[in-house]
Amino acid sequence: MTNTYFPLDPTTVIDYVRTRPELMDIFRAGEALESVEVGDGNLNLVFKVWAAADAERTVVVKQALPYVRLVGESWKLPTERARIEAQALAVQARLCPEHTVHVYYFDPVMFCTVMRNLTRHVIMRRGLMEGITYPKFGQHIGTFMGRTLAGTSDLVLDYKTKKEQVARFINPELCKISEDLVFTEPYRYTERNLFHKELEPQVVALQADADLRVEVAQMKAQFMTHAQALLHGDLHTGSIMINQDETICIDPEFAFYGPIGFDVGAVIANLFLSYASHEVRTKDAAARAAFRSYLTDTVIELWAVFAREFAALAWANADSIDLPTAYRDRYLLQLLQDTAGFAACKIMRRVIGLAGVADIRGIEDVHERAIAGSLALNMAIPLIKGRRDVRTIADVVALATAARVTYPFGS
Amino acid sequence: MTNTYFPLDPTTVIDYVRTRPELMDIFRAGEALESVEVGDGNLNLVFKVWAAADAERTVVVKQALPYVRLVGESWKLPTERARIEAQALAVQARLCPEHTVHVYYFDPVMFCTVMRNLTRHVIMRRGLMEGITYPKFGQHIGTFMGRTLAGTSDLVLDYKTKKEQVARFINPELCKISEDLVFTEPYRYTERNLFHKELEPQVVALQADADLRVEVAQMKAQFMTHAQALLHGDLHTGSIMINQDETICIDPEFAFYGPIGFDVGAVIANLFLSYASHEVRTKDAAARAAFRSYLTDTVIELWAVFAREFAALAWANADSIDLPTAYRDRYLLQLLQDTAGFAACKIMRRVIGLAGVADIRGIEDVHERAIAGSLALNMAIPLIKGRRDVRTIADVVALATAARVTYPFGS
């Protein structure tokens, strides 16, 4: 065990895990281990380590870097976020172990989390890009969000625990990334925005839309002030490991007490981004329609499951039992409207902002990429502008799916 | 200086202040001092101490008790709140020194704050009960709220400072008092409620109003989750020392990061409680009308000054300069609507709940007391139910002043 922080590499990570008592059931004393660095995120080193004699005996080591990898060492980030991630994983594991990655240990000196290597799962985004459906996803993610979000809110926690948790999960640097990249930069000219030239007329028009900027500023204010529940904070399809049977959420380093709709909106945004991308990714019209039906059915199912699981926890305690039914209905309707607004921001930032998604940015042909990006932006705008009129999740789906491609412009 | 906490009394408080270096300019070595305990609040001991040779050389010593004085030693309260009060006073003094009581020092062992003795001021509530007008109050309190609330919000503080302040001012026990006494108990049967039998039919009807309870529950949720700014947290007319020239806010031990409308609503609620009380306190119709005009003019002025001072600070920084004007207008409109809702809750709790106000509970004749209480409740209900339709502060005043006395009931 080390006394000071240093960044691991594929060699040193082997020495690092070899002697840990928490891993005694996995690795045997003195046996050969192998490793590879697989991080494709922006903020961390991620290693897979396995026994040379048996690749099934394996762990993932995630180490926080003190800067944003995507930008370079100039953008400092406190390794403190690794502590927040480990504590958030502990909370999520308590409330919903079946959909939270198992952690063997967290090392507060090396800012390393050592966790289960999900060898039978893929990153959900990759699967969706290939048009693979995951029939249990709506059920699973709805359960995860309903339990973790209700279970960390004032509706379940006592007054004191909740407020102490708010303080414990203050996460200024990571929140600042979202404040800038989700709610600020995409809606004005900044050098860090990264969209392709073909989309420029649509992006310029969006940035000139004062009504839209009012709505986005309201979502930003809510993100910054509304401490409803402990959010995952970055619940996109790249933070979800999946197969036909299991759904496992990883990487809650952006966790903080924020508005519940931000997490739910993130999941829905990423399903809608996939929906937009298959405008060009799936050429066959019937196959495209079928995959899109899967996506929209999943949006509807995940909300229904979320609302059911949330309500089951939220309205069970003594204080809320006394609340009128109309209050409960309004509470969930407000969450739905928030969800639509946050989903819109998450879609727009992925098309216009610094950090894109492979669903769309990974489309090789620039015209096809512009088509998918155009559709995604046109799905987002009615979601945020029309969110106050939404009454059901079907309304949300209808708003988004009514959108059409407007690229090439002026055609 | 002491090493352990003990409750002061009029004798020991003299020894306590005599040797403090922070008071060297006030008290001379070895001179005779006198003191009296004057606390009429619920949570603290308050002493006035002065030089026997010159009563102008004087300080106030406020010491936090570890229990709620009103209820007795069974209701424990952390003396930690004295630290929060001292830190809140320091923030308010930085942002608006002219309306914040001057603190000589805070003693974290004895949980004592030693501050200016406002010998030329009265507790504002006492003055209002006598029908005294304070023409500068609207200007003063609007300035205090505009500067302290904007100046501690995300609109002025950088992302990191604001979030660290949220954590620093976590104040669970004192918030819990407000959650229970302002937002929960008055709207259901509880033994701690304290209203007079004459009002019972109106209170029972109010508690049976499910629509009202939905609205109150929404204000409570906002109180518990919406970390907009560092509130005073208890800004009633008993926390304001006043004369014809000066307005000084004291006692922010309930300070925490909460919704801005809670502070503004508290001030307006107490002016409206005074308005209701003068239904019976001032018998002469012309004098009553004149005093009420003062109160409603003051409500209108304090909002105008608050909005102007708030805007001057809030929209001056680089990030918000880029916000559309429509966003700023909506932000202030939302604050106004929140203010109406919180004012209503503050009025109802003072009539129905455990802690009343002398304006109304001090009325000796039970029928007159019921008349004033009836009017206050009837002012509150349209404020909270109609808050979403309010567009200007004049609308708020119109909603409240349209109310009529409905006691005796069935008449």
Side-chain angles (χ1 to χ4, degrees):
Chain A
M1 300 192 202
T2 62
N3 295 316
T4 53
Y5 175 90
F6 63 92
L8 293 166
D9 64 37
T11 304
T12 54
V13 73
I14 289 177
D15 294 331
Y16 173 71
V17 300
R18 189 188 291 287
T19 56
R20 292 295 303 210
E22 298 91 342
L23 304 178
M24 271 179 51
D25 292 342
I26 298 175
F27 301 132
R28 286 156 202 168
E31 76 173 332
L33 303 182
E34 297 179 352
S35 79
V36 61
E37 210 271 317
V38 296
D40 62 353
N42 295 322
L43 314 175
N44 306 290
L45 297 170
V46 181
F47 302 91
K48 294 185 175 181
V49 185
W50 62 92
D54 175 9
E56 294 288 303
R57 290 189 284 109
T58 175
V59 298
V60 162
V61 179
K62 178 176 177 178
Q63 183 177 35
L65 285 170
Y67 50 83
V68 179
R69 202 174 177 190
L70 179 70
V71 177
E73 303 205 9
S74 62
W75 190 352
K76 302 286 182 208
L77 259 195
T79 38
E80 163 78 356
R81 71 186 187 276
R83 189 266 306 163
I84 288 194
E85 176 172 355
Q87 292 183 336
L89 284 169
V91 171
Q92 292 164 353
R94 178 174 60 75
L95 292 166
C96 193
E98 62 271 43
H99 302 303
T100 303
V101 66
H102 178 72
V103 172
Y104 298 109
Y105 71 91
F106 169 66
D107 176 345
V109 173
M110 289 289 280
F111 298 105
C112 276
T113 303
V114 180
M115 61 191 118
R116 181 181 168 203
N117 184 2
L118 297 158
T119 52
R120 294 183 175 78
H121 304 69
V122 297
I123 296 170
M124 187 180 184
R125 186 183 309 289
R126 296 280 147 196
L128 294 181
M129 284 165 63
E130 293 169 25
I132 298 170
T133 62
Y134 300 97
K136 296 182 182 172
F137 175 68
Q139 179 72 38
H140 289 170
I141 201 73
T143 302
F144 175 80
M145 294 192 296
R147 292 186 188 165
T148 59
L149 296 171
T152 56
S153 76
D154 282 302
L155 297 165
V156 169
L157 295 180
D158 73 271
Y159 73 98
K160 191 168 182 174
T161 304
K162 190 265 186 167
K163 292 175 181 74
E164 289 169 350
Q165 293 287 81
V166 169
R168 189 180 184 202
F169 284 102
I170 289 284
N171 196 356
E173 301 299 338
L174 281 279
C175 283
K176 175 69 169 159
I177 294 176
S178 296
E179 290 159 21
D180 290 345
L181 296 189
V182 181
F183 297 106
T184 307
E185 296 184 5
Y187 317 99
R188 56 176 72 168
Y189 173 79
T190 63
E191 289 200 353
R192 288 207 302 191
N193 283 337
L194 257 182
F195 52 87
H196 292 273
K197 201 172 177 57
E198 287 68 24
L199 263 187
E200 193 165 16
Q202 196 170 346
V203 171
V204 168
L206 183 151
Q207 291 175 343
D209 182 343
D211 291 343
L212 178 73
R213 289 173 55 231
V214 170
E215 301 298 337
V216 171
Q218 292 185 327
M219 301 316 297
K220 181 181 179 181
Q222 202 189 140
F223 179 83
M224 294 178 79
T225 60
H226 201 194
Q228 277 187 309
L230 179 63
L231 308 189
H232 179 287
D234 196 28
L235 199 51
H236 57 77
T237 46
S239 298
I240 295 165
M241 302 296 292
I242 200 161
N243 59 33
Q244 293 298 305
D245 297 312
E246 272 198 317
T247 304
I248 308 286
C249 299
I250 62 173
D251 288 356
E253 65 199 318
F254 283 78
F256 75 110
Y257 264 79
I260 288 169
F262 188 75
D263 265 8
V264 188
V267 173
I268 291 176
N270 278 268
L271 296 178
F272 283 160
L273 284 162
S274 177
Y275 183 103
S277 76
H278 282 278
E279 183 77 12
V280 295
R281 284 189 175 276
T282 301
K283 308 296 184 194
D284 177 74
R288 182 166 63 236
F291 188 68
R292 284 178 161 177
S293 289
Y294 160 73
L295 292 173
T296 55
D297 288 351
T298 299
V299 169
I300 287 170
E301 185 186 20
L302 77 83
W303 177 266
V305 174
F306 162 76
R308 185 190 71 210
E309 295 290 325
F310 186 91
L313 277 176
W315 315 129
N317 73 68
D319 247 17
S320 63
I321 279 171
D322 200 50
L323 290 169
T325 308
Y327 176 75
R328 305 178 187 192
D329 294 344
R330 278 217 222 164
Y331 190 101
L332 280 165
L333 177 58
Q334 187 62 55
L335 291 189
L336 180 68
Q337 294 175 350
D338 294 349
T339 293
F342 285 121
C345 297
K346 293 285 229 174
I347 292 170
M348 291 186 282
R349 66 78 61 104
R350 292 300 193 182
V351 177
I352 303 173
L354 175 66
V357 282
D359 310 63
I360 289 180
R361 294 225 174 133
I363 297 168
E364 283 186 26
D365 181 272
V366 291
H367 295 291
E368 288 190 354
R369 194 162 58 216
I371 287 168
S374 170
L375 180 57
L377 293 181
N378 288 338
M379 292 170 77
I381 292 169
L383 279 179
I384 188 166
K385 288 190 174 178
R387 70 187 189 282
R388 291 182 193 81
D389 299 321
V390 159
R391 290 291 171 273
T392 67
I393 187 66
D395 293 344
V396 172
V397 169
L399 274 180
T401 57
R404 295 290 170 263
V405 178
T406 50
Y407 171 87
F409 310 106
S411 64
Chain B
M1 302 191 200
T2 61
N3 297 316
T4 54
Y5 175 91
F6 64 92
L8 292 166
D9 65 36
T11 305
T12 53
V13 73
I14 288 176
D15 295 333
Y16 174 71
V17 300
R18 190 189 290 286
T19 56
R20 292 295 304 209
E22 299 90 342
L23 305 178
M24 271 179 51
D25 292 342
I26 299 176
F27 301 131
R28 285 153 204 169
E31 77 172 329
L33 303 182
E34 298 180 351
S35 77
V36 62
E37 209 272 313
V38 297
D40 62 352
N42 292 323
L43 313 174
N44 305 291
L45 298 170
V46 181
F47 303 91
K48 294 185 175 182
V49 185
W50 63 94
D54 175 9
E56 294 288 303
R57 290 189 284 109
T58 177
V59 299
V60 163
V61 179
K62 177 175 177 179
Q63 183 178 36
L65 286 168
Y67 51 84
V68 179
R69 204 174 177 189
L70 179 70
V71 177
E73 302 205 10
S74 62
W75 189 351
K76 303 284 182 207
L77 260 195
T79 39
E80 162 78 356
R81 69 185 188 278
R83 189 264 307 164
I84 288 192
E85 176 172 354
Q87 292 184 336
L89 284 169
V91 170
Q92 291 164 354
R94 179 174 58 76
L95 292 166
C96 193
E98 62 272 43
H99 303 303
T100 303
V101 65
H102 178 73
V103 172
Y104 299 110
Y105 70 92
F106 169 67
D107 176 345
V109 173
M110 288 290 279
F111 297 105
C112 277
T113 303
V114 180
M115 61 191 117
R116 181 181 168 203
N117 184 2
L118 298 158
T119 52
R120 295 182 175 79
H121 305 70
V122 298
I123 295 170
M124 186 178 185
R125 187 183 308 290
R126 296 280 146 195
L128 293 181
M129 284 164 64
E130 294 169 25
I132 299 170
T133 60
Y134 301 97
K136 296 183 182 170
F137 175 68
Q139 178 73 38
H140 289 169
I141 201 70
T143 301
F144 175 80
M145 294 192 296
R147 292 187 189 165
T148 60
L149 296 171
T152 56
S153 76
D154 282 302
L155 297 165
V156 170
L157 295 181
D158 72 272
Y159 73 99
K160 191 168 183 175
T161 304
K162 190 266 186 166
K163 292 176 181 75
E164 288 168 352
Q165 293 288 81
V166 169
R168 189 182 185 200
F169 284 102
I170 289 284
N171 196 357
E173 301 301 338
L174 281 281
C175 283
K176 175 69 170 158
I177 294 176
S178 296
E179 290 159 21
D180 290 345
L181 296 189
V182 181
F183 297 106
T184 307
E185 296 183 6
Y187 317 98
R188 55 176 74 167
Y189 173 79
T190 63
E191 290 199 352
R192 288 207 301 189
N193 283 336
L194 258 184
F195 51 87
H196 293 274
K197 204 173 175 54
E198 288 68 24
L199 263 188
E200 192 164 18
Q202 195 170 347
V203 171
V204 168
L206 182 150
Q207 291 176 344
D209 181 344
D211 291 343
L212 178 73
R213 290 173 55 233
V214 170
E215 300 299 336
V216 171
Q218 292 185 327
M219 301 316 297
K220 181 181 180 182
Q222 203 190 138
F223 179 83
M224 295 177 79
T225 60
H226 201 194
Q228 274 185 311
L230 180 63
L231 308 189
H232 178 287
D234 196 27
L235 198 52
H236 57 78
T237 47
S239 298
I240 295 165
M241 302 296 291
I242 200 161
N243 59 33
Q244 294 298 307
D245 296 314
E246 271 198 318
T247 304
I248 308 286
C249 300
I250 62 174
D251 287 356
E253 66 199 318
F254 283 78
F256 76 110
Y257 263 80
I260 288 168
F262 187 76
D263 266 8
V264 188
V267 173
I268 291 175
N270 278 268
L271 297 178
F272 283 160
L273 284 161
S274 177
Y275 182 104
S277 76
H278 282 277
E279 183 77 12
V280 296
R281 285 190 174 273
T282 301
K283 308 297 184 194
D284 178 74
R288 182 165 63 236
F291 188 67
R292 284 179 162 178
S293 287
Y294 161 72
L295 292 173
T296 54
D297 288 351
T298 299
V299 168
I300 287 171
E301 184 186 19
L302 78 81
W303 176 266
V305 174
F306 162 76
R308 184 190 71 209
E309 295 290 324
F310 187 93
L313 276 176
W315 315 131
N317 74 67
D319 248 17
S320 64
I321 278 172
D322 200 49
L323 290 170
T325 307
Y327 175 75
R328 305 177 187 191
D329 294 344
R330 279 218 220 165
Y331 191 101
L332 280 165
L333 177 58
Q334 187 62 56
L335 291 188
L336 180 68
Q337 294 176 350
D338 294 349
T339 293
F342 285 120
C345 297
K346 292 285 228 174
I347 292 170
M348 292 186 281
R349 66 76 61 104
R350 291 299 193 183
V351 177
I352 303 173
L354 174 66
V357 284
D359 310 65
I360 289 180
R361 295 225 174 133
I363 297 167
E364 283 185 26
D365 180 89
V366 291
H367 296 291
E368 288 191 353
R369 195 163 56 216
I371 287 168
S374 170
L375 180 57
L377 293 180
N378 288 339
M379 291 170 78
I381 293 170
L383 279 180
I384 188 167
K385 287 189 175 178
R387 70 187 189 281
R388 292 182 193 81
D389 299 321
V390 158
R391 291 289 171 275
T392 67
I393 187 67
D395 294 343
V396 172
V397 169
L399 274 179
T401 56
R404 295 290 170 262
V405 177
T406 51
Y407 171 89
F409 311 105
S411 64

